[in-house]
Amino acid sequence: MNRIDPKLAATLRRPDELVARGLARAADLPDLEQVAARYAVAVTPDIAELIDAGDPADPIARQFIPSAEELITSAGENADPIGDDARSPVAGIVHRYPDRVLFKLVHVCAVYCRFCFRREMVGPGKATALSEDAYQAALDYIRQHDEIWEVILTGGDPLMLSARRLAEIMADLAAIDHVKIIRIHTRVPIADPARVTPELVAALRGEGATTWIAVHANHPREFSANARAACACLADAGIPLVSQSVLLRGVNDDAATLEGLMRTFVECRIKPYYLHHGDLAPGTAHLRTSIEQGQALMRALRGRVSGLCQPEYVLDVPGGHGKVPVGPSYLSQDRDLARETRYRVVDYCGEVHLYPPIDNDGRG
Ligand code: SF4
């Protein structure tokens, strides 16, 4: 892997450091200090190197450099936008669907995304760190619920843990007979790829349960040579990789960027999985699109790339009610034909067809 210049090798965590690196304006410092007092800030050297400091609309900066707009809380936004708390039977566990749980192991990340749906819960000093007793109680909960087939490690970013600790956790989970799948959601291969060492990869492979990894990225430029190498290490170890992205205004809300992102995932052996509609996290309205814009982009994507490159566009229903695909729909019933049910099908060019088709006599 390429090495980062040692002079730039520290993660930037304070607004004055961002100003000193030319990644934020000195005039904005008072506002950014207010933002940083509420929401964690971290920009790793790998991410800082990707930012074009001369471009005020840089899509990487928009994801990681704080903005005064985060001080505005809009209607509908709340501290727990996808309802984790409502579905948490014990600390660290979210049990929203019968066959799977989220296991929130850590409350820290390599970088802090400005749109984070758990921004009130992640970051240094947050009260959501899991103690050893709470960890054991969470394991007990999983043991006692034999309907749990899949455990999704999330946080925070689970790959912030040491390889040794991750190996222990993977072994603890794999020792539970009914846990067959351990899925890890992470931004580390993109934001701090040097953490993906042979020891970490060995820890993740585990034994007794199948590991899947969901890699979070939102713009094709996030795939630096180091990030691609980290993803390749995971894929070479036989770990299946899927993607997760968030649709973000000014980052990836155009068809060409989304196409580039999905193609890059596939080139890196990461199957596109989820494109999330932006959650109603506080201070994130400036980064959200409308659902109609998201549907139009998904329609455009369908016409540009193969099914291999198609993610599912999903909305997490506020209140803890889970994810739903939000279209677009290509099928509707044709109500004008009383004789029998027919469907109107929209093809990838936007042309409408009837199914089953009607022959020249008007018969099906
Ligand atoms: S890596 Fe994930 S949990 Fe951490 S700040 Fe970004 S979106 Fe939030």
Side-chain angles (χ1 to χ4, degrees):
M1 279 185 198
N2 299 338
R3 298 190 71 81
I4 297 287
D5 179 341
K7 292 197 296 292
L8 309 176
T11 293
L12 306 169
R13 299 186 183 277
R14 297 195 320 263
D16 63 319
E17 293 174 328
L18 297 174
V19 170
R21 267 296 296 276
L23 299 176
R25 298 185 321 160
D28 295 333
L29 201 49
D31 283 342
L32 301 192
E33 297 284 8
Q34 276 191 62
V35 174
R38 180 162 179 191
Y39 306 117
V41 173
V43 181
T44 56
D46 285 85
I47 292 294
E49 283 216 335
L50 297 176
I51 295 174
D52 176 356
D55 178 2
D58 182 80
I60 310 297
R62 206 163 157 74
Q63 294 182 63
F64 301 106
I65 304 299
S67 146
E69 290 166 293
E70 294 173 52
L71 297 171
I72 304 163
T73 299
S74 304
E77 292 181 341
N78 76 80
D80 183 16
I82 70 167
D84 280 356
D85 288 347
R87 304 285 171 161
S88 181
V90 297
I93 295 286
V94 178
H95 199 170
R96 216 184 310 270
Y97 308 93
D99 74 329
R100 55 205 183 273
V101 289
L102 300 183
F103 193 174
K104 297 198 278 187
L105 288 168
V106 284
H107 66 299
V108 292
C109 303
V111 280
Y112 292 103
C113 311
R114 306 326 302 166
F115 52 87
C116 177
F117 64 128
R118 295 204 179 105
R119 61 189 332 212
E120 301 277 7
M121 305 165 205
V122 298
K126 300 285 178 181
T128 47
L130 209 56
S131 67
E132 181 58 26
D133 284 351
Y135 171 73
Q136 293 299 338
L139 275 184
D140 282 343
Y141 181 86
I142 297 169
R143 283 188 197 103
Q144 288 156 10
H145 288 77
D146 60 10
E147 73 275 23
I148 297 172
W149 173 79
E150 180 180 17
V151 176
I152 301 163
L153 305 185
T154 180
D157 196 317
L159 296 199
M160 294 301 284
L161 293 165
S162 68
R164 190 179 53 78
R165 181 67 184 132
L166 272 168
E168 290 167 358
I169 292 165
M170 300 297 279
D172 284 344
L173 289 170
I176 302 172
D177 272 353
H178 52 267
V179 173
K180 304 295 185 195
I181 304 293
I182 303 171
R183 185 184 353 148
I184 299 169
H185 282 237
T186 181
R187 202 115 158 81
V188 158
I190 300 292
D192 194 2
R195 290 189 76 87
V196 183
T197 59
E199 294 73 30
L200 185 91
V201 173
L204 296 178
R205 284 184 72 183
E207 278 179 25
T210 302
T211 305
W212 285 66
I213 293 185
V215 178
H216 176 177
N218 303 313
H219 192 280
R221 262 180 45 212
E222 289 173 52
F223 285 84
S224 64
N226 286 349
R228 287 172 189 258
C231 293
C233 284
L234 296 166
D236 287 347
I239 299 173
L241 306 175
V242 294
S243 78
Q244 62 166 350
S245 304
V246 183
L247 183 59
L248 295 166
R249 196 194 319 169
V251 174
N252 56 18
D253 60 339
D254 66 277
T257 301
L258 268 190
E259 174 187 342
L261 176 63
M262 297 306 152
R263 286 192 194 277
T264 306
F265 277 133
V266 172
E267 288 163 14
C268 292
R269 291 179 277 170
I270 302 169
K271 170 70 185 89
Y273 182 37
Y274 277 145
L275 177 66
H276 293 268
H277 186 73
D279 292 310
L280 293 167
T284 61
H286 59 295
L287 292 167
R288 273 195 302 279
T289 65
S290 67
I291 288 179
E292 287 74 17
Q293 284 171 303
Q295 291 175 328
L297 284 164
M298 287 299 294
R299 232 178 252 116
L301 206 56
R302 172 98 10 219
R304 296 169 80 116
V305 289
S306 77
L308 202 53
C309 298
Q310 300 288 340
E312 188 162 50
Y313 179 39
V314 293
L315 173 74
D316 258 294
V317 183
H321 304 289
K323 282 184 188 56
V324 289
V326 284
S329 171
Y330 297 91
L331 189 72
S332 57
Q333 280 200 358
D334 187 78
R335 296 178 193 283
D336 295 336
L337 292 169
R339 217 165 41 130
E340 61 180 277
T341 301
R342 289 185 188 281
Y343 297 94
R344 292 163 61 84
V345 186
V346 184
D347 69 20
Y348 80 97
C349 297
E351 286 184 25
V352 178
H353 309 272
L354 286 179
Y355 180 85
I358 302 175
D359 66 20
N360 289 338
D361 299 332
R363 291 175 302 179

Short mmCIF file of all heavy atoms in Angstrom, two decimals, residues 103-136:
data_model
loop_
_atom_site.label_atom_id
_atom_site.label_comp_id
_atom_site.label_asym_id
_atom_site.label_seq_id
_atom_site.Cartn_x
_atom_site.Cartn_y
_atom_site.Cartn_z
N PHE A 103 -25.67 -5.36 16.64
CA PHE A 103 -24.87 -5.43 17.86
C PHE A 103 -23.91 -4.24 17.79
O PHE A 103 -22.98 -4.23 16.98
CB PHE A 103 -24.11 -6.77 17.89
CG PHE A 103 -23.49 -7.13 19.21
CD1 PHE A 103 -22.90 -8.38 19.38
CD2 PHE A 103 -23.50 -6.25 20.29
CE1 PHE A 103 -22.32 -8.74 20.59
CE2 PHE A 103 -22.92 -6.60 21.50
CZ PHE A 103 -22.33 -7.84 21.65
N LYS A 104 -24.21 -3.23 18.61
CA LYS A 104 -23.44 -1.98 18.56
C LYS A 104 -22.28 -2.08 19.55
O LYS A 104 -22.43 -1.82 20.74
CB LYS A 104 -24.35 -0.79 18.87
CG LYS A 104 -25.46 -0.65 17.82
CD LYS A 104 -26.09 0.72 17.83
CE LYS A 104 -27.13 0.86 18.89
NZ LYS A 104 -27.87 2.13 18.81
N LEU A 105 -21.12 -2.47 19.02
CA LEU A 105 -19.98 -2.80 19.87
C LEU A 105 -19.20 -1.59 20.33
O LEU A 105 -18.64 -1.57 21.43
CB LEU A 105 -19.01 -3.69 19.07
CG LEU A 105 -19.44 -5.12 18.81
CD1 LEU A 105 -18.52 -5.75 17.79
CD2 LEU A 105 -19.41 -5.92 20.10
N VAL A 106 -19.07 -0.63 19.44
CA VAL A 106 -18.21 0.52 19.73
C VAL A 106 -18.96 1.81 19.38
O VAL A 106 -19.91 1.79 18.60
CB VAL A 106 -16.90 0.49 18.91
CG1 VAL A 106 -15.93 -0.52 19.46
CG2 VAL A 106 -17.17 0.25 17.45
N HIS A 107 -18.49 2.91 19.94
CA HIS A 107 -19.16 4.18 19.66
C HIS A 107 -18.21 5.15 18.96
O HIS A 107 -18.50 6.33 18.87
CB HIS A 107 -19.69 4.78 20.96
CG HIS A 107 -18.60 5.20 21.91
ND1 HIS A 107 -17.69 4.31 22.42
CD2 HIS A 107 -18.26 6.41 22.40
CE1 HIS A 107 -16.84 4.94 23.19
NE2 HIS A 107 -17.16 6.22 23.19
N VAL A 108 -17.09 4.64 18.47
CA VAL A 108 -16.14 5.52 17.77
C VAL A 108 -15.97 5.04 16.32
O VAL A 108 -16.25 3.89 15.99
CB VAL A 108 -14.76 5.56 18.47
CG1 VAL A 108 -14.87 6.26 19.81
CG2 VAL A 108 -14.18 4.16 18.62
N CYS A 109 -15.52 5.98 15.48
CA CYS A 109 -15.32 5.71 14.05
C CYS A 109 -13.98 6.32 13.65
O CYS A 109 -13.44 7.19 14.33
CB CYS A 109 -16.41 6.37 13.22
SG CYS A 109 -18.08 5.87 13.68
N ALA A 110 -13.48 5.87 12.49
CA ALA A 110 -12.23 6.46 11.97
C ALA A 110 -12.48 7.89 11.50
O ALA A 110 -11.63 8.77 11.67
CB ALA A 110 -11.73 5.61 10.80
N VAL A 111 -13.63 8.11 10.88
CA VAL A 111 -14.05 9.44 10.44
C VAL A 111 -15.47 9.66 10.97
O VAL A 111 -16.17 8.69 11.28
CB VAL A 111 -14.11 9.53 8.90
CG1 VAL A 111 -12.74 9.73 8.29
CG2 VAL A 111 -14.82 8.34 8.30
N TYR A 112 -15.89 10.90 11.05
CA TYR A 112 -17.28 11.17 11.43
C TYR A 112 -17.97 11.86 10.27
O TYR A 112 -17.60 12.96 9.86
CB TYR A 112 -17.34 11.99 12.72
CG TYR A 112 -16.86 11.15 13.89
CD1 TYR A 112 -15.59 11.33 14.42
CD2 TYR A 112 -17.64 10.11 14.38
CE1 TYR A 112 -15.11 10.50 15.44
CE2 TYR A 112 -17.17 9.28 15.40
CZ TYR A 112 -15.92 9.48 15.91
OH TYR A 112 -15.46 8.65 16.90
N CYS A 113 -18.98 11.14 9.73
CA CYS A 113 -19.69 11.61 8.55
C CYS A 113 -20.70 12.67 8.99
O CYS A 113 -21.40 12.48 9.99
CB CYS A 113 -20.41 10.44 7.90
SG CYS A 113 -19.33 8.99 7.69
N ARG A 114 -20.78 13.74 8.23
CA ARG A 114 -21.61 14.88 8.66
C ARG A 114 -23.11 14.54 8.59
O ARG A 114 -23.93 15.26 9.15
CB ARG A 114 -21.31 16.14 7.83
CG ARG A 114 -19.86 16.58 7.75
CD ARG A 114 -19.05 16.34 9.00
NE ARG A 114 -19.56 16.98 10.20
CZ ARG A 114 -19.16 16.69 11.42
NH1 ARG A 114 -18.24 15.78 11.64
NH2 ARG A 114 -19.69 17.32 12.45
N PHE A 115 -23.45 13.46 7.92
CA PHE A 115 -24.86 13.06 7.74
C PHE A 115 -25.21 11.89 8.63
O PHE A 115 -26.29 11.31 8.52
CB PHE A 115 -25.10 12.67 6.28
CG PHE A 115 -24.09 11.66 5.80
CD1 PHE A 115 -24.28 10.31 5.99
CD2 PHE A 115 -22.91 12.08 5.21
CE1 PHE A 115 -23.31 9.39 5.60
CE2 PHE A 115 -21.93 11.16 4.81
CZ PHE A 115 -22.14 9.82 5.01
N CYS A 116 -24.31 11.49 9.54
CA CYS A 116 -24.46 10.23 10.28
C CYS A 116 -25.82 10.13 10.98
O CYS A 116 -26.23 11.03 11.69
CB CYS A 116 -23.36 10.09 11.32
SG CYS A 116 -23.54 8.59 12.32
N PHE A 117 -26.48 9.00 10.79
CA PHE A 117 -27.80 8.78 11.41
C PHE A 117 -27.67 8.51 12.90
O PHE A 117 -28.66 8.59 13.63
CB PHE A 117 -28.55 7.65 10.69
CG PHE A 117 -27.89 6.30 10.79
CD1 PHE A 117 -28.61 5.19 11.23
CD2 PHE A 117 -26.57 6.11 10.44
CE1 PHE A 117 -28.02 3.94 11.32
CE2 PHE A 117 -25.96 4.87 10.53
CZ PHE A 117 -26.68 3.79 10.96
N ARG A 118 -26.46 8.17 13.36
CA ARG A 118 -26.25 7.97 14.81
C ARG A 118 -25.35 9.05 15.36
O ARG A 118 -24.59 8.83 16.30
CB ARG A 118 -25.65 6.58 15.08
CG ARG A 118 -26.56 5.45 14.70
CD ARG A 118 -26.26 4.16 15.46
NE ARG A 118 -27.20 3.14 15.05
CZ ARG A 118 -26.91 2.12 14.24
NH1 ARG A 118 -25.68 1.97 13.79
NH2 ARG A 118 -27.83 1.24 13.89
N ARG A 119 -25.42 10.25 14.82
CA ARG A 119 -24.44 11.28 15.20
C ARG A 119 -24.58 11.72 16.65
O ARG A 119 -23.62 12.23 17.22
CB ARG A 119 -24.55 12.48 14.25
CG ARG A 119 -25.88 13.18 14.22
CD ARG A 119 -25.92 14.20 13.08
NE ARG A 119 -24.60 14.73 12.75
CZ ARG A 119 -24.36 15.95 12.30
NH1 ARG A 119 -25.35 16.78 12.14
NH2 ARG A 119 -23.15 16.34 12.03
N GLU A 120 -25.75 11.50 17.25
CA GLU A 120 -25.91 11.85 18.66
C GLU A 120 -25.33 10.75 19.57
O GLU A 120 -25.28 10.90 20.78
CB GLU A 120 -27.39 12.05 19.00
CG GLU A 120 -28.08 13.14 18.20
CD GLU A 120 -27.86 14.53 18.77
OE1 GLU A 120 -27.07 14.68 19.72
OE2 GLU A 120 -28.49 15.47 18.26
N MET A 121 -24.98 9.60 18.97
CA MET A 121 -24.54 8.46 19.78
C MET A 121 -23.08 8.12 19.55
O MET A 121 -22.50 7.37 20.35
CB MET A 121 -25.39 7.23 19.43
CG MET A 121 -26.88 7.45 19.57
SD MET A 121 -27.80 6.15 18.74
CE MET A 121 -29.35 6.98 18.40
N VAL A 122 -22.48 8.58 18.43
CA VAL A 122 -21.09 8.20 18.15
C VAL A 122 -20.15 9.35 18.42
O VAL A 122 -20.52 10.52 18.35
CB VAL A 122 -20.91 7.71 16.69
CG1 VAL A 122 -21.73 6.47 16.42
CG2 VAL A 122 -21.24 8.81 15.68
N GLY A 123 -18.91 8.97 18.77
CA GLY A 123 -17.87 9.98 19.01
C GLY A 123 -17.29 9.83 20.39
O GLY A 123 -17.92 9.23 21.29
N PRO A 124 -16.08 10.38 20.59
CA PRO A 124 -15.45 10.29 21.91
C PRO A 124 -16.35 10.92 22.97
O PRO A 124 -16.98 11.95 22.73
CB PRO A 124 -14.16 11.11 21.73
CG PRO A 124 -13.94 11.17 20.25
CD PRO A 124 -15.28 11.11 19.61
N GLY A 125 -16.41 10.27 24.13
CA GLY A 125 -17.15 10.86 25.25
C GLY A 125 -18.63 10.59 25.24
O GLY A 125 -19.34 10.96 26.18
N LYS A 126 -19.18 9.94 24.21
CA LYS A 126 -20.61 9.63 24.21
C LYS A 126 -20.88 8.50 25.20
O LYS A 126 -20.03 7.65 25.45
CB LYS A 126 -21.09 9.23 22.81
CG LYS A 126 -20.89 10.30 21.77
CD LYS A 126 -21.91 11.41 21.90
CE LYS A 126 -21.60 12.47 20.84
NZ LYS A 126 -22.46 13.60 20.84
N ALA A 127 -22.08 8.50 25.74
CA ALA A 127 -22.39 7.53 26.81
C ALA A 127 -22.80 6.18 26.27
O ALA A 127 -23.38 5.37 26.97
CB ALA A 127 -23.52 8.11 27.67
N THR A 128 -22.48 5.92 24.99
CA THR A 128 -22.97 4.68 24.40
C THR A 128 -21.90 3.59 24.31
O THR A 128 -22.14 2.55 23.72
CB THR A 128 -23.52 4.96 22.99
OG1 THR A 128 -22.56 5.77 22.29
CG2 THR A 128 -24.84 5.70 23.04
N ALA A 129 -20.72 3.82 24.89
CA ALA A 129 -19.69 2.79 24.89
C ALA A 129 -20.20 1.57 25.66
O ALA A 129 -20.87 1.72 26.69
CB ALA A 129 -18.41 3.33 25.53
N LEU A 130 -19.87 0.37 25.18
CA LEU A 130 -20.39 -0.86 25.79
C LEU A 130 -19.38 -1.39 26.81
O LEU A 130 -18.24 -1.70 26.46
CB LEU A 130 -20.61 -1.89 24.68
CG LEU A 130 -21.70 -2.92 24.86
CD1 LEU A 130 -23.05 -2.28 25.09
CD2 LEU A 130 -21.74 -3.85 23.65
N SER A 131 -19.80 -1.52 28.07
CA SER A 131 -18.91 -2.08 29.10
C SER A 131 -18.80 -3.59 28.90
O SER A 131 -19.60 -4.20 28.18
CB SER A 131 -19.49 -1.80 30.49
OG SER A 131 -20.68 -2.55 30.64
N GLU A 132 -17.85 -4.23 29.59
CA GLU A 132 -17.69 -5.69 29.48
C GLU A 132 -18.96 -6.40 29.99
O GLU A 132 -19.42 -7.37 29.37
CB GLU A 132 -16.46 -6.15 30.26
CG GLU A 132 -16.18 -7.65 30.20
CD GLU A 132 -15.99 -8.20 28.78
OE1 GLU A 132 -15.60 -7.45 27.88
OE2 GLU A 132 -16.28 -9.41 28.59
N ASP A 133 -19.55 -5.90 31.09
CA ASP A 133 -20.79 -6.51 31.59
C ASP A 133 -21.90 -6.40 30.56
O ASP A 133 -22.67 -7.34 30.33
CB ASP A 133 -21.23 -5.82 32.89
CG ASP A 133 -20.39 -6.27 34.07
OD1 ASP A 133 -19.59 -7.22 33.90
OD2 ASP A 133 -20.53 -5.66 35.16
N ALA A 134 -22.00 -5.23 29.92
CA ALA A 134 -23.06 -5.02 28.92
C ALA A 134 -22.80 -5.92 27.70
O ALA A 134 -23.75 -6.47 27.11
CB ALA A 134 -23.10 -3.56 28.50
N TYR A 135 -21.52 -6.09 27.36
CA TYR A 135 -21.18 -6.99 26.24
C TYR A 135 -21.66 -8.40 26.55
O TYR A 135 -22.29 -9.07 25.72
CB TYR A 135 -19.67 -6.96 25.99
CG TYR A 135 -19.18 -8.00 25.02
CD1 TYR A 135 -19.42 -7.87 23.65
CD2 TYR A 135 -18.49 -9.12 25.46
CE1 TYR A 135 -18.99 -8.84 22.75
CE2 TYR A 135 -18.05 -10.10 24.57
CZ TYR A 135 -18.30 -9.95 23.22
OH TYR A 135 -17.88 -10.92 22.35
N GLN A 136 -21.38 -8.88 27.78
CA GLN A 136 -21.79 -10.24 28.15
C GLN A 136 -23.32 -10.36 28.17
O GLN A 136 -23.87 -11.39 27.75
CB GLN A 136 -21.20 -10.61 29.52
CG GLN A 136 -19.68 -10.76 29.51
CD GLN A 136 -19.17 -11.85 28.56
OE1 GLN A 136 -19.90 -12.77 28.20
NE2 GLN A 136 -17.91 -11.74 28.14
#
